[in-house]
Amino acid sequence: MISDFFIGIRWWSVLFLIGAAAFPLTRLLFHAWFDQGYLFSKAVGLAVIGWLVFVFGMARIAPFTIGTILMAIGILFAFGFVLNRLLRTPRLPKSPIWKTILVEELFFFVALLLWTWVKAHEPSIRGLEKFMDYGFMQSILNSSYFPPVDMWYPPHSINYYYFGHLVTAMVTKASNLDLSYTFNLMLSTIFALCFTMSFSIGRELTKKISGGLFTAFLVTLAGNMQTIYAFTNGYTGDNVKPFWNLGWTLKGIETYWYANATRFIPFTIHEFPSYSFVVSDVHGHVLSIPFVLLAIALLLQGKIPYIFYGFLCGVLLMTNALDGPIYFGLFCVVLAISNIQSPIHKWKALGIAIVVALFTSLPFLVHFTSFVNGIAVNCPPSFLAHTKIGPLLFEGVEKCQRSPFWMMSLLWGFFWVSGGLWIGYIRSKKFTHIEKLLMIFFFFSIALTIFPEFFYFKDIYPQHFRSNTMFKLGYEAFILFSIVSGYAIVSLWRKKMVILLLIPLLFLVSIYPFFSVRSYFGGLKNYEGVYGLSWLEREYPDDFAAIQWLKDQKNPSVLVEADGDSYTDYQRFSTFTGIPTVVGWAVHEWLWRGSYDVVSPRREDVRRIYESEDLTETKELLNQYNVRYIIVGILERQKFTKLVEDKFTILGQEVLRSGETVIYEIDY
């Protein structure tokens, strides 16, 4: 635990440096806030410094090194400092603002340590999307310039929104720590940023520390009212039954499965930050949270900095693709009701934001092909089936899924009721500008949750066709709803009858982390440490030693290992070394490449490399993919039952034997 603490200090020191460099610019963006936006400075720094490093690498101006990162930090600080001087921003008073900043930095540090301690009770980088996210980050770390190579489909670059992964790699490189530690530390960082930034928003809105803490809790830790099933006999698997038909019992508290709150409506996903921080995937929607909260905070200001907001929309697009259009759309609505009187000025502001957003994301977009094939209509009329009208796709009539209202009520009812009661309460008085903005957030969030009932973004999934749409839109709705509800409940606190009505609903959303943390982290009883590869060392010791050897090799080119299904232990070598393999998780690559037809031949080629008795054919395949290393370990022996291993000593030589795991190097 002590060593983890010092590792955490080292990681935090880099974050502090990034935030300090960004604070001059942050002061300009949030000059009217109680703390001049200090709690947003790290997010500003990660966005700007990450983008500079990214552009330097894309344009081959400077390689991805610590020196380049320090240069980007210096550029940001100098830019903010000079801009402050040019705009004659008043100096910070020694008190009380510096005291506030010191307290806030301690607040962030404690939040960072708290979730690092929680995460250390189950630190395994394994399961769900962790292999993918880790592999992206390791591939970026291995890169001198960008775009980084897709470790599961060389020589092509990553076709995914990976800016958040690049930011993680950047802080990893700057801290000189191994990714097997920083992967988990980044999760703790996002938790700390989410909690402190939402606190700052709540504190600014309610003018109360208690209001800030309450808002932070709702955004970061709260769940939905599906937890009512914890007080019933429950259900198993996908056999969802109405809670009122299951019988009431307190025994359900011991059997309630927290993940059901995110897979409640059949064939859909409706996650939220609290779940993300528990299951620990450092995925695009999680990495985007600080930038999302930064965008929300900018919108809550009386005067929106259009240039920086446009930049932020570009960053959001590169981090979690749909977040860009979502928060640009919200910006358009806010701009429409802003205090700017002249329509010309509004159109000018809109144009500036669009141009800056496109300029920001252009280096990414030139190498990115969207895996969304259009906007499809949910439950299309039969006479329009398999047609297209403008941007709308009408698929078969079987593409029809509707969410039962009672299910939607359990997911979103707390927000509907708290926001609705608050809007009903303030109708009797003149709205403030902030209240208008929060009403926009409320109704915009409702629109995000309703959209998947009528439309979905078409991807490759046949039965879960609206799953990703509901997931991405609902995630942002949850964050916006939480901020509105935090303000609403604080405003209604003295209305006793209203609060009595809200208490049962608030109780249900508040108990979610009790179930999720207890389940995933084993009741916080066994501290394992923040190191994330202990499971690999324990369960695959031979592979682990071979992976460590490979990481020390220079210019390793491509390796070949057994390919396997998504969410399995296959691709462990390419994932944990960042060295590309011929083909990785098939469904993931199918999604990213738009067709299984380009993935399937590679899978067959991998099989032939291991099982073909024809030396010439094997040699040609190895040459075709520029393979340098062949892995023969436990998973390869299990999958390729007709393995012809002797030929590898003819085509190359054995360079490492670690128990049952052997690495062969091909002669060229």
Coordinates of all heavy atoms in Angstrom, one line a residue, residues 39-69:
L39 N -10.9 24.0 -10.5 CA -11.2 22.6 -10.6 C -11.3 22.1 -12.0 O -11.4 20.9 -12.3 CB -12.4 22.2 -9.8 CG -12.2 22.2 -8.2 CD1 -13.5 22.0 -7.5 CD2 -11.1 21.2 -7.8
F40 N -11.4 23.0 -13.0 CA -11.5 22.7 -14.4 C -10.1 22.7 -15.1 O -10.0 22.4 -16.2 CB -12.5 23.6 -15.1 CG -13.9 23.5 -14.6 CD1 -14.4 24.5 -13.8 CD2 -14.7 22.4 -14.9 CE1 -15.7 24.5 -13.3 CE2 -16.0 22.4 -14.4 CZ -16.5 23.4 -13.7
S41 N -9.1 23.2 -14.4 CA -7.8 23.5 -15.0 C -7.2 22.2 -15.5 O -6.5 22.2 -16.6 CB -6.9 24.2 -14.1 OG -6.7 23.5 -12.9
K42 N -7.3 21.1 -14.8 CA -6.7 19.8 -15.3 C -7.4 19.4 -16.6 O -6.7 18.9 -17.5 CB -6.8 18.8 -14.2 CG -5.9 19.1 -13.0 CD -6.0 18.0 -11.9 CE -5.2 18.3 -10.7 NZ -5.5 19.6 -10.0
A43 N -8.7 19.5 -16.6 CA -9.4 19.1 -17.9 C -9.0 20.0 -19.0 O -8.8 19.5 -20.2 CB -10.9 19.1 -17.7
V44 N -8.9 21.3 -18.8 CA -8.4 22.2 -19.8 C -7.0 21.8 -20.3 O -6.7 21.7 -21.5 CB -8.4 23.7 -19.3 CG1 -7.7 24.6 -20.3 CG2 -9.8 24.1 -19.0
G45 N -6.1 21.5 -19.3 CA -4.7 21.1 -19.6 C -4.7 19.8 -20.4 O -3.9 19.7 -21.4
L46 N -5.4 18.8 -20.0 CA -5.4 17.5 -20.7 C -5.9 17.7 -22.1 O -5.4 17.1 -23.0 CB -6.3 16.5 -19.9 CG -5.7 16.1 -18.6 CD1 -6.8 15.2 -17.9 CD2 -4.4 15.3 -18.7
A47 N -6.9 18.5 -22.3 CA -7.4 18.8 -23.7 C -6.4 19.5 -24.6 O -6.1 19.0 -25.7 CB -8.8 19.5 -23.6
V48 N -5.9 20.6 -24.1 CA -5.0 21.4 -24.9 C -3.7 20.8 -25.1 O -3.2 20.7 -26.2 CB -4.9 22.8 -24.3 CG1 -3.9 23.7 -25.1 CG2 -6.2 23.5 -24.2
I49 N -3.1 20.3 -24.0 CA -1.7 19.7 -24.1 C -1.8 18.4 -25.0 O -1.0 18.1 -25.8 CB -1.1 19.5 -22.8 CG1 -0.9 20.8 -22.0 CG2 0.2 18.7 -22.8 CD1 -0.6 20.6 -20.5
G50 N -2.9 17.6 -24.7 CA -3.1 16.4 -25.5 C -3.2 16.7 -26.9 O -2.6 16.0 -27.8
W51 N -4.0 17.8 -27.3 CA -4.2 18.1 -28.7 C -2.9 18.6 -29.3 O -2.6 18.2 -30.5 CB -5.2 19.2 -28.8 CG -5.6 19.5 -30.2 CD1 -6.4 18.8 -31.1 CD2 -5.1 20.6 -31.0 NE1 -6.4 19.4 -32.3 CE2 -5.7 20.5 -32.3 CE3 -4.3 21.7 -30.7 CZ2 -5.4 21.5 -33.3 CZ3 -4.0 22.6 -31.7 CH2 -4.6 22.5 -33.0
L52 N -2.1 19.4 -28.6 CA -0.8 19.8 -29.2 C 0.1 18.7 -29.4 O 0.7 18.6 -30.5 CB -0.2 20.8 -28.2 CG -0.8 22.2 -28.1 CD1 -0.2 23.0 -26.9 CD2 -0.7 23.0 -29.4
V53 N 0.2 17.8 -28.5 CA 1.1 16.6 -28.7 C 0.6 15.8 -29.8 O 1.4 15.2 -30.7 CB 1.1 15.7 -27.4 CG1 1.8 14.4 -27.6 CG2 1.8 16.5 -26.3
F54 N -0.7 15.6 -30.0 CA -1.3 14.9 -31.0 C -1.0 15.5 -32.4 O -0.6 14.8 -33.3 CB -2.8 14.8 -30.8 CG -3.6 14.2 -31.9 CD1 -3.4 12.9 -32.3 CD2 -4.7 14.8 -32.5 CE1 -4.1 12.3 -33.3 CE2 -5.4 14.2 -33.5 CZ -5.1 13.0 -33.9
V55 N -1.2 16.8 -32.5 CA -0.9 17.5 -33.8 C 0.5 17.5 -34.1 O 0.9 17.2 -35.3 CB -1.5 18.9 -33.7 CG1 -1.0 19.7 -34.9 CG2 -3.0 18.9 -33.6
F56 N 1.4 17.7 -33.1 CA 2.8 17.6 -33.4 C 3.2 16.2 -33.9 O 4.0 16.1 -34.9 CB 3.6 17.8 -32.1 CG 3.6 19.2 -31.6 CD1 3.8 19.5 -30.3 CD2 3.3 20.3 -32.5 CE1 3.8 20.8 -29.8 CE2 3.3 21.6 -32.0 CZ 3.5 21.9 -30.7
G57 N 2.6 15.2 -33.4 CA 2.9 13.8 -33.9 C 2.3 13.5 -35.2 O 2.9 12.8 -36.1
M58 N 1.0 14.0 -35.5 CA 0.4 13.8 -36.8 C 1.1 14.5 -37.9 O 1.3 14.0 -39.0 CB -1.1 14.3 -36.7 CG -2.0 13.4 -35.8 SD -2.3 11.8 -36.5 CE -3.3 12.2 -37.9
A59 N 1.6 15.7 -37.6 CA 2.3 16.5 -38.6 C 3.8 16.2 -38.7 O 4.5 16.8 -39.5 CB 2.1 18.0 -38.3
R60 N 4.2 15.3 -37.8 CA 5.7 14.9 -37.7 C 6.6 16.1 -37.4 O 7.7 16.2 -37.8 CB 6.1 14.1 -38.9 CG 5.4 12.8 -39.1 CD 5.9 12.0 -40.3 NE 5.3 10.7 -40.2 CZ 5.8 9.6 -39.7 NH1 7.1 9.7 -39.2 NH2 5.2 8.4 -39.7
I61 N 6.0 17.0 -36.6 CA 6.8 18.1 -36.1 C 7.7 17.7 -35.0 O 8.9 18.1 -34.9 CB 5.9 19.3 -35.7 CG1 5.1 19.8 -36.9 CG2 6.6 20.4 -35.0 CD1 4.0 20.8 -36.5
A62 N 7.2 16.9 -34.1 CA 7.9 16.4 -33.0 C 7.5 15.0 -32.6 O 6.3 14.8 -32.6 CB 7.8 17.4 -31.8
P63 N 8.4 14.1 -32.2 CA 7.9 12.8 -31.8 C 7.3 12.8 -30.4 O 7.3 13.7 -29.7 CB 9.3 12.0 -31.7 CG 10.3 13.1 -31.4 CD 9.8 14.3 -32.1
F64 N 6.6 11.7 -30.2 CA 5.9 11.5 -28.9 C 6.9 11.1 -27.8 O 7.2 10.0 -27.6 CB 4.8 10.4 -29.1 CG 3.9 10.2 -27.9 CD1 3.5 11.3 -27.1 CD2 3.5 8.9 -27.5 CE1 2.7 11.1 -26.0 CE2 2.7 8.7 -26.4 CZ 2.3 9.8 -25.6
T65 N 7.4 12.2 -27.2 CA 8.4 12.0 -26.1 C 8.1 12.9 -24.9 O 7.2 13.8 -25.0 CB 9.8 12.3 -26.6 OG1 9.8 13.8 -27.0 CG2 10.2 11.5 -27.8
I66 N 8.8 12.7 -23.8 CA 8.6 13.5 -22.7 C 9.0 15.0 -23.0 O 8.3 15.9 -22.6 CB 9.5 13.0 -21.5 CG1 8.9 11.7 -21.0 CG2 9.4 14.1 -20.3 CD1 9.7 11.1 -19.8
G67 N 10.0 15.2 -23.8 CA 10.4 16.5 -24.2 C 9.3 17.2 -25.0 O 9.0 18.4 -24.7
T68 N 8.6 16.5 -25.9 CA 7.4 17.1 -26.6 C 6.3 17.5 -25.7 O 5.7 18.5 -25.8 CB 7.0 16.2 -27.7 OG1 8.0 15.9 -28.6 CG2 5.8 16.8 -28.5
I69 N 6.0 16.6 -24.7 CA 5.0 16.9 -23.7 C 5.3 18.1 -22.9 O 4.5 19.0 -22.7 CB 4.8 15.7 -22.8 CG1 4.3 14.5 -23.6 CG2 3.8 16.0 -21.7 CD1 4.3 13.2 -22.9

